[in-house]
Protein backbone atom coordinates (compact mmCIF):
# COMPACT_ATOMS: atom_id res chain seq x y z
CA UNK A 1 0.00 0.00 0.00
CA UNK A 2 1.47 3.32 -1.08
CA UNK A 3 -0.04 5.57 1.58
CA UNK A 4 -0.91 5.41 5.27
CA UNK A 5 -4.45 4.73 6.43
CA UNK A 6 -6.22 5.62 9.65
CA UNK A 7 -8.27 2.76 11.06
CA UNK A 8 -8.28 3.99 14.66
CA UNK A 9 -11.59 3.40 16.41
CA UNK A 10 -13.44 6.46 17.67
CA UNK A 11 -15.72 6.76 20.70
CA UNK A 12 -18.57 7.37 18.25
CA UNK A 13 -17.87 4.05 16.55
CA UNK A 14 -17.87 2.22 19.87
CA UNK A 15 -21.18 3.81 20.83
CA UNK A 16 -22.71 2.98 17.45
CA UNK A 17 -21.56 -0.64 17.62
CA UNK A 18 -23.16 -1.05 21.05
CA UNK A 19 -26.40 0.63 19.96
CA UNK A 20 -26.66 -1.51 16.82
CA UNK A 21 -25.84 -4.72 18.70
CA UNK A 22 -28.43 -4.03 21.40
CA UNK A 23 -31.08 -3.11 18.81
CA UNK A 24 -30.39 -6.18 16.67
CA UNK A 25 -30.49 -8.59 19.61
CA UNK A 26 -33.78 -7.16 20.88
CA UNK A 27 -35.65 -6.36 17.67
CA UNK A 28 -34.20 -8.58 14.93
CA UNK A 29 -32.85 -11.86 16.32
CA UNK A 30 -36.15 -13.11 17.79
CA UNK A 31 -37.88 -12.82 14.40
CA UNK A 32 -35.29 -13.82 11.80
CA UNK A 33 -36.59 -17.30 10.99
CA UNK A 34 -40.23 -16.19 11.01
CA UNK A 35 -39.43 -13.43 8.53
CA UNK A 36 -37.19 -15.71 6.46
CA UNK A 37 -39.61 -18.62 6.19
CA UNK A 38 -42.64 -16.47 5.29
CA UNK A 39 -40.66 -13.92 3.24
CA UNK A 40 -41.97 -11.11 5.45
CA UNK A 41 -40.52 -7.68 4.79
CA UNK A 42 -40.69 -6.00 8.22
CA UNK A 43 -41.37 -2.45 7.08
CA UNK A 44 -41.98 -1.12 10.59
CA UNK A 45 -38.51 -2.26 11.67
CA UNK A 46 -36.99 0.20 9.21
CA UNK A 47 -39.05 3.01 10.72
CA UNK A 48 -37.41 2.09 14.05
CA UNK A 49 -33.98 2.07 12.42
CA UNK A 50 -34.80 5.47 10.97
CA UNK A 51 -35.63 6.85 14.42
CA UNK A 52 -32.12 5.83 15.50
CA UNK A 53 -30.56 7.66 12.56
CA UNK A 54 -29.48 4.45 10.85
CA UNK A 55 -31.38 5.05 7.60
CA UNK A 56 -29.47 8.26 6.92
CA UNK A 57 -26.04 7.42 8.29
CA UNK A 58 -24.13 9.39 5.66
CA UNK A 59 -26.68 12.18 5.18
CA UNK A 60 -25.63 15.54 6.68
CA UNK A 61 -27.54 16.69 9.74
CA UNK A 62 -29.04 19.67 7.90
CA UNK A 63 -31.05 17.17 5.83
CA UNK A 64 -32.12 15.12 8.85
CA UNK A 65 -29.35 12.56 8.71
CA UNK A 66 -26.69 11.42 11.17
CA UNK A 67 -23.83 13.12 9.33
CA UNK A 68 -21.42 10.25 9.93
CA UNK A 69 -18.65 8.80 7.77
CA UNK A 70 -18.00 5.50 6.04
CA UNK A 71 -16.23 3.83 8.98
CA UNK A 72 -19.34 4.30 11.12
CA UNK A 73 -21.48 3.20 8.20
CA UNK A 74 -19.48 -0.03 7.91
CA UNK A 75 -20.03 -0.61 11.64
CA UNK A 76 -23.80 -0.23 11.21
CA UNK A 77 -24.05 -2.66 8.29
CA UNK A 78 -21.72 -5.21 9.90
CA UNK A 79 -23.58 -5.05 13.21
CA UNK A 80 -26.99 -5.68 11.66
CA UNK A 81 -25.77 -8.29 9.15
CA UNK A 82 -24.05 -10.25 11.92
CA UNK A 83 -27.60 -11.06 13.08
CA UNK A 84 -29.58 -11.01 9.81
CA UNK A 85 -28.28 -10.54 6.28
CA UNK A 86 -31.73 -9.64 4.92
CA UNK A 87 -32.04 -6.62 7.17
CA UNK A 88 -28.43 -5.65 6.51
CA UNK A 89 -29.00 -5.80 2.75
CA UNK A 90 -32.14 -3.66 2.91
CA UNK A 91 -30.40 -1.15 5.18
CA UNK A 92 -27.43 -0.95 2.80
CA UNK A 93 -29.57 -0.49 -0.33
CA UNK A 94 -31.52 2.38 1.19
CA UNK A 95 -28.46 4.20 2.51
CA UNK A 96 -25.89 3.79 -0.23
CA UNK A 97 -27.92 3.48 -3.43
CA UNK A 98 -31.10 5.55 -3.43
CA UNK A 99 -30.25 8.02 -0.67
CA UNK A 100 -26.58 8.07 -1.65
CA UNK A 101 -27.41 8.87 -5.27
CA UNK A 102 -29.60 11.85 -4.37
CA UNK A 103 -27.04 13.06 -1.83
CA UNK A 104 -24.21 12.90 -4.38
CA UNK A 105 -25.97 14.23 -7.48
CA UNK A 106 -29.18 16.00 -6.47
CA UNK A 107 -29.43 19.78 -6.57
CA UNK A 108 -30.23 21.72 -3.40
CA UNK A 109 -33.97 21.73 -4.04
CA UNK A 110 -34.00 17.96 -4.64
CA UNK A 111 -31.93 17.27 -1.52
CA UNK A 112 -34.23 19.40 0.63
CA UNK A 113 -37.29 17.70 -0.84
CA UNK A 114 -36.28 14.05 -0.51
CA UNK A 115 -33.34 13.54 1.86
CA UNK A 116 -35.15 14.41 5.14
CA UNK A 117 -37.85 11.85 4.35
CA UNK A 118 -35.31 9.19 3.37
CA UNK A 119 -32.91 9.84 6.25
CA UNK A 120 -35.65 9.34 8.84
CA UNK A 121 -37.25 6.38 7.00
CA UNK A 122 -40.49 8.31 6.63
CA UNK A 123 -39.90 7.17 3.06
CA UNK A 124 -38.01 4.08 1.89
CA UNK A 125 -35.92 4.39 -1.24
CA UNK A 126 -35.33 2.03 -4.18
CA UNK A 127 -32.67 2.23 -6.90
CA UNK A 128 -33.21 0.82 -10.37
CA UNK A 129 -30.41 -0.07 -12.79
CA UNK A 130 -30.75 -3.79 -13.60
CA UNK A 131 -33.21 -5.16 -16.14
CA UNK A 132 -34.23 -8.69 -17.11
CA UNK A 133 -31.93 -8.85 -20.14
CA UNK A 134 -29.28 -6.36 -19.05
CA UNK A 135 -27.66 -7.35 -15.78
CA UNK A 136 -23.99 -6.51 -15.97
CA UNK A 137 -24.53 -5.07 -19.48
CA UNK A 138 -26.38 -2.01 -18.21
CA UNK A 139 -25.57 0.20 -21.20
CA UNK A 140 -28.07 -1.74 -23.29
CA UNK A 141 -31.00 -1.13 -20.97
CA UNK A 142 -34.42 -0.97 -22.60
CA UNK A 143 -36.25 1.34 -20.19
CA UNK A 144 -36.69 4.69 -21.93
CA UNK A 145 -37.59 8.23 -20.94
CA UNK A 146 -38.92 10.38 -23.77
CA UNK A 147 -39.26 14.16 -23.43
CA UNK A 148 -42.79 15.54 -23.68
CA UNK A 149 -43.01 19.22 -22.81
CA UNK A 150 -41.92 19.71 -19.20
CA UNK A 151 -42.06 15.98 -18.50
CA UNK A 152 -40.42 12.65 -19.26
CA UNK A 153 -42.57 9.67 -20.17
CA UNK A 154 -40.97 6.47 -18.89
CA UNK A 155 -41.62 2.98 -20.28
CA UNK A 156 -39.94 -0.28 -19.32
CA UNK A 157 -39.17 -2.44 -16.30
CA UNK A 158 -36.42 -2.92 -13.73
CA UNK A 159 -35.58 -6.22 -12.02
CA UNK A 160 -34.02 -7.34 -8.73
CA UNK A 161 -35.02 -4.13 -6.97
CA UNK A 162 -34.80 -3.90 -3.19
CA UNK A 163 -37.90 -2.01 -1.97
CA UNK A 164 -39.34 -2.38 -5.48
CA UNK A 165 -42.84 -2.64 -3.98
CA UNK A 166 -42.54 -0.93 -0.59
CA UNK A 167 -40.29 1.94 -1.61
CA UNK A 168 -41.84 5.40 -1.56
CA UNK A 169 -39.54 6.66 -4.29
CA UNK A 170 -36.99 5.25 -6.69
CA UNK A 171 -33.93 6.58 -8.46
CA UNK A 172 -34.26 5.01 -11.90
CA UNK A 173 -31.67 4.82 -14.65
CA UNK A 174 -33.38 5.29 -18.02
CA UNK A 175 -32.26 5.53 -21.62
CA UNK A 176 -32.57 9.06 -22.98
CA UNK A 177 -30.13 8.58 -25.86
CA UNK A 178 -28.44 5.95 -27.98
CA UNK A 179 -28.35 2.35 -26.74
CA UNK A 180 -24.89 1.17 -25.72
CA UNK A 181 -23.53 4.67 -25.08
CA UNK A 182 -22.75 5.80 -21.53
CA UNK A 183 -24.00 9.28 -22.45
CA UNK A 184 -27.36 7.83 -23.40
CA UNK A 185 -28.51 7.13 -19.84
CA UNK A 186 -30.03 9.54 -17.31
CA UNK A 187 -31.15 9.24 -13.68
CA UNK A 188 -34.69 10.27 -12.73
CA UNK A 189 -36.50 10.14 -9.38
CA UNK A 190 -39.99 8.61 -9.50
CA UNK A 191 -42.27 8.86 -6.49
CA UNK A 192 -44.68 6.07 -5.53
CA UNK A 193 -48.21 6.93 -6.54
CA UNK A 194 -47.14 8.41 -9.87
CA UNK A 195 -49.57 7.02 -12.49
CA UNK A 196 -47.95 4.28 -14.54
CA UNK A 197 -45.45 3.28 -11.81
CA UNK A 198 -46.19 -0.10 -10.24
CA UNK A 199 -44.55 -3.14 -8.67
CA UNK A 200 -44.31 -6.42 -10.55
CA UNK A 201 -43.23 -9.92 -9.62
CA UNK A 202 -41.71 -10.52 -6.19
CA UNK A 203 -38.74 -12.89 -6.40
CA UNK A 204 -38.76 -16.14 -4.39
CA UNK A 205 -35.12 -16.27 -3.36
CA UNK A 206 -32.66 -18.80 -1.92
CA UNK A 207 -31.56 -16.39 0.80
CA UNK A 208 -32.10 -12.79 1.92
CA UNK A 209 -35.77 -13.76 1.98
CA UNK A 210 -36.87 -10.97 4.35
CA UNK A 211 -35.41 -8.39 1.97
CA UNK A 212 -38.05 -7.48 -0.59
CA UNK A 213 -36.90 -7.96 -4.19
CA UNK A 214 -39.37 -7.13 -6.95
CA UNK A 215 -39.79 -5.74 -10.43
CA UNK A 216 -40.61 -2.08 -10.97
CA UNK A 217 -42.81 -1.44 -14.01
CA UNK A 218 -43.24 1.84 -15.88
CA UNK A 219 -46.16 2.17 -18.28
CA UNK A 220 -46.35 5.65 -19.79
CA UNK A 221 -45.21 6.96 -16.42
CA UNK A 222 -45.08 10.77 -16.61
CA UNK A 223 -42.47 12.48 -14.42
CA UNK A 224 -41.50 16.16 -14.24
CA UNK A 225 -38.13 17.15 -15.69
CA UNK A 226 -37.47 18.66 -12.24
CA UNK A 227 -36.90 15.06 -11.08
CA UNK A 228 -33.84 14.60 -13.32
CA UNK A 229 -30.67 14.16 -11.23
CA UNK A 230 -27.80 16.14 -12.74
CA UNK A 231 -27.73 16.59 -16.49
CA UNK A 232 -29.25 14.53 -19.27
CA UNK A 233 -26.84 11.70 -20.12
CA UNK A 234 -25.06 11.71 -16.75
CA UNK A 235 -26.97 8.74 -15.33
CA UNK A 236 -24.54 5.95 -16.13
CA UNK A 237 -21.52 7.84 -14.83
CA UNK A 238 -23.46 8.70 -11.70
CA UNK A 239 -24.49 5.07 -11.22
CA UNK A 240 -20.91 3.85 -11.49
CA UNK A 241 -19.81 6.32 -8.81
CA UNK A 242 -22.73 5.31 -6.59
CA UNK A 243 -21.72 1.66 -7.02
CA UNK A 244 -18.18 2.46 -5.85
CA UNK A 245 -19.69 3.34 -2.48
CA UNK A 246 -22.25 0.56 -2.79
CA UNK A 247 -19.44 -1.98 -3.04
CA UNK A 248 -18.28 -0.94 0.42
CA UNK A 249 -21.86 -1.57 1.57
CA UNK A 250 -21.98 -5.09 0.16
CA UNK A 251 -18.49 -5.81 1.44
CA UNK A 252 -19.66 -4.75 4.92
CA UNK A 253 -22.77 -6.90 4.51
CA UNK A 254 -20.56 -9.87 3.61
CA UNK A 255 -18.27 -9.17 6.55
CA UNK A 256 -21.20 -9.09 8.96
CA UNK A 257 -22.59 -12.39 7.68
CA UNK A 258 -19.14 -13.97 7.87
CA UNK A 259 -18.67 -12.75 11.44
CA UNK A 260 -22.10 -14.06 12.43
CA UNK A 261 -21.36 -17.49 10.96
CA UNK A 262 -17.91 -17.52 12.56
CA UNK A 263 -19.28 -16.57 15.99
CA UNK A 264 -21.79 -19.40 15.81
CA UNK A 265 -19.11 -21.89 14.69
CA UNK A 266 -16.71 -20.92 17.49
CA UNK A 267 -19.42 -21.20 20.16
CA UNK A 268 -20.62 -24.55 18.83
CA UNK A 269 -17.10 -25.98 18.54
CA UNK A 270 -16.48 -25.23 22.22
CA UNK A 271 -19.76 -26.81 23.34
CA UNK A 272 -20.01 -29.84 21.05
CA UNK A 273 -18.37 -32.91 22.57
CA UNK A 274 -17.04 -35.83 20.55
CA UNK A 275 -14.70 -38.58 21.76
CA UNK A 276 -14.89 -37.05 25.24
CA UNK A 277 -13.73 -33.52 24.43
CA UNK A 278 -14.90 -30.36 22.63
CA UNK A 279 -14.50 -30.54 18.84
CA UNK A 280 -12.57 -27.25 19.00
CA UNK A 281 -9.68 -29.25 20.45
CA UNK A 282 -9.32 -31.24 17.22
CA UNK A 283 -6.84 -29.83 14.73
CA UNK A 284 -9.22 -30.33 11.80
CA UNK A 285 -11.69 -27.93 13.43
CA UNK A 286 -9.24 -25.50 15.02
CA UNK A 287 -7.32 -25.01 11.77
CA UNK A 288 -10.58 -24.38 9.93
CA UNK A 289 -11.46 -21.72 12.51
CA UNK A 290 -7.98 -20.20 12.15
CA UNK A 291 -8.43 -19.88 8.38
CA UNK A 292 -11.88 -18.34 8.85
CA UNK A 293 -10.59 -15.79 11.38
CA UNK A 294 -7.64 -14.81 9.17
CA UNK A 295 -9.77 -14.29 6.07
CA UNK A 296 -12.32 -12.25 8.02
CA UNK A 297 -9.53 -10.04 9.37
CA UNK A 298 -8.08 -9.53 5.88
CA UNK A 299 -11.52 -8.70 4.45
CA UNK A 300 -12.10 -6.12 7.16
CA UNK A 301 -8.77 -4.43 6.45
CA UNK A 302 -9.66 -4.10 2.76
CA UNK A 303 -13.04 -2.64 3.69
CA UNK A 304 -11.56 -0.18 6.19
CA UNK A 305 -9.03 0.91 3.57
CA UNK A 306 -11.77 1.62 1.00
CA UNK A 307 -13.88 3.40 3.63
CA UNK A 308 -10.94 5.58 4.64
CA UNK A 309 -10.34 6.60 1.03
CA UNK A 310 -14.04 7.32 0.56
CA UNK A 311 -14.08 9.50 3.68
CA UNK A 312 -11.13 11.48 2.32
CA UNK A 313 -12.76 11.85 -1.13
CA UNK A 314 -9.86 9.98 -2.76
CA UNK A 315 -10.20 7.67 -5.78
CA UNK A 316 -11.23 4.24 -4.52
CA UNK A 317 -12.71 2.34 -7.46
CA UNK A 318 -10.01 -0.34 -7.27
CA UNK A 319 -10.05 -0.57 -3.49
CA UNK A 320 -13.83 -0.82 -3.18
CA UNK A 321 -13.94 -3.49 -5.90
CA UNK A 322 -11.19 -5.44 -4.12
CA UNK A 323 -13.03 -5.16 -0.81
CA UNK A 324 -16.33 -6.28 -2.32
CA UNK A 325 -14.78 -9.13 -4.29
CA UNK A 326 -12.67 -10.50 -1.45
CA UNK A 327 -15.16 -10.01 1.38
CA UNK A 328 -18.03 -11.62 -0.55
CA UNK A 329 -15.97 -14.68 -1.48
CA UNK A 330 -14.72 -14.94 2.11
CA UNK A 331 -18.32 -14.73 3.31
CA UNK A 332 -19.31 -17.76 1.23
CA UNK A 333 -16.26 -19.77 2.36
CA UNK A 334 -16.76 -18.94 6.04
CA UNK A 335 -20.48 -19.73 5.93
CA UNK A 336 -19.74 -23.03 4.16
CA UNK A 337 -17.13 -23.98 6.74
CA UNK A 338 -19.49 -23.02 9.56
CA UNK A 339 -22.08 -25.46 8.24
CA UNK A 340 -19.36 -28.13 8.05
CA UNK A 341 -18.33 -27.53 11.66
CA UNK A 342 -21.94 -27.93 12.77
CA UNK A 343 -22.19 -31.17 10.78
CA UNK A 344 -25.74 -32.47 10.39
CA UNK A 345 -27.10 -29.77 12.69
CA UNK A 346 -25.70 -27.14 10.35
CA UNK A 347 -28.05 -28.42 7.67
CA UNK A 348 -31.14 -27.76 9.77
CA UNK A 349 -33.10 -24.59 10.43
CA UNK A 350 -32.83 -25.15 14.20
CA UNK A 351 -29.32 -23.66 14.11
CA UNK A 352 -28.28 -20.30 12.64
CA UNK A 353 -25.58 -21.26 10.16
CA UNK A 354 -27.84 -22.62 7.41
CA UNK A 355 -29.35 -19.15 7.03
CA UNK A 356 -25.93 -17.48 6.96
CA UNK A 357 -25.01 -20.05 4.28
CA UNK A 358 -28.04 -19.20 2.13
CA UNK A 359 -27.68 -15.46 2.63
CA UNK A 360 -23.96 -15.43 1.85
CA UNK A 361 -24.25 -16.23 -1.85
CA UNK A 362 -26.03 -12.99 -2.73
CA UNK A 363 -22.91 -11.07 -1.73
CA UNK A 364 -20.95 -12.51 -4.68
CA UNK A 365 -23.74 -11.48 -7.09
CA UNK A 366 -25.40 -8.25 -5.95
CA UNK A 367 -24.09 -4.82 -7.04
CA UNK A 368 -21.67 -6.43 -9.47
CA UNK A 369 -20.68 -10.10 -9.56
CA UNK A 370 -17.24 -11.30 -8.51
CA UNK A 371 -16.39 -11.54 -12.20
CA UNK A 372 -17.34 -7.90 -12.76
CA UNK A 373 -15.22 -6.88 -9.76
CA UNK A 374 -12.23 -8.62 -11.37
CA UNK A 375 -12.84 -6.66 -14.58
CA UNK A 376 -12.93 -3.41 -12.61
CA UNK A 377 -9.76 -4.30 -10.67
CA UNK A 378 -7.90 -5.40 -13.78
CA UNK A 379 -8.89 -2.24 -15.64
CA UNK A 380 -7.65 -0.09 -12.74
CA UNK A 381 -4.25 -1.81 -12.43
CA UNK A 382 -3.63 -1.96 -16.18
CA UNK A 383 -4.33 1.70 -17.02
Amino acid sequence: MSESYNFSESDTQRDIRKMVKDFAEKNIRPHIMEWDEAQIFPKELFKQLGSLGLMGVLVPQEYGGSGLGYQEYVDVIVGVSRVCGSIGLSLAAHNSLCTGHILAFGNEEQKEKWLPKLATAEWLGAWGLTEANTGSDALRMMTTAVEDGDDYVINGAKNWITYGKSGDLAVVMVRTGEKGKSGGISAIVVERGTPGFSAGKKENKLGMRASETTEMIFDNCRVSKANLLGNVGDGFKQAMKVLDGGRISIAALALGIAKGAFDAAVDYSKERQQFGKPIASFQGISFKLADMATEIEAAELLIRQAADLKNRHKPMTKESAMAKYFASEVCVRVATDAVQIFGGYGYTKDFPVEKFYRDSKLCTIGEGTSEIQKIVIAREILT
Side-chain angles (χ1 to χ4, degrees), residues 338-381:
V339 171
Q340 193 70 18
I341 288 168
F342 271 75
Y345 292 115
Y347 204 65
T348 73
K349 293 183 182 292
D350 297 325
F351 291 84
V353 289
E354 72 85 30
K355 183 178 181 298
F356 287 125
Y357 179 70
R358 288 186 290 108
D359 288 349
S360 69
K361 190 57 195 166
L362 182 278
C363 298
T364 68
I365 299 169
E367 292 190 37
T369 62
S370 291
E371 291 74 20
I372 288 293
Q373 304 312 316
K374 289 182 185 180
I375 291 172
V376 171
I377 296 163
R379 186 182 295 139
E380 289 293 312
I381 62 178

Side-chain angles (χ1 to χ4, degrees), residues 320-335:
S320 66
M322 285 179 168
K324 197 273 186 188
Y325 166 53
F326 187 75
S328 63
E329 295 290 343
V330 164
C331 179
V332 172
R333 288 196 292 271
V334 167

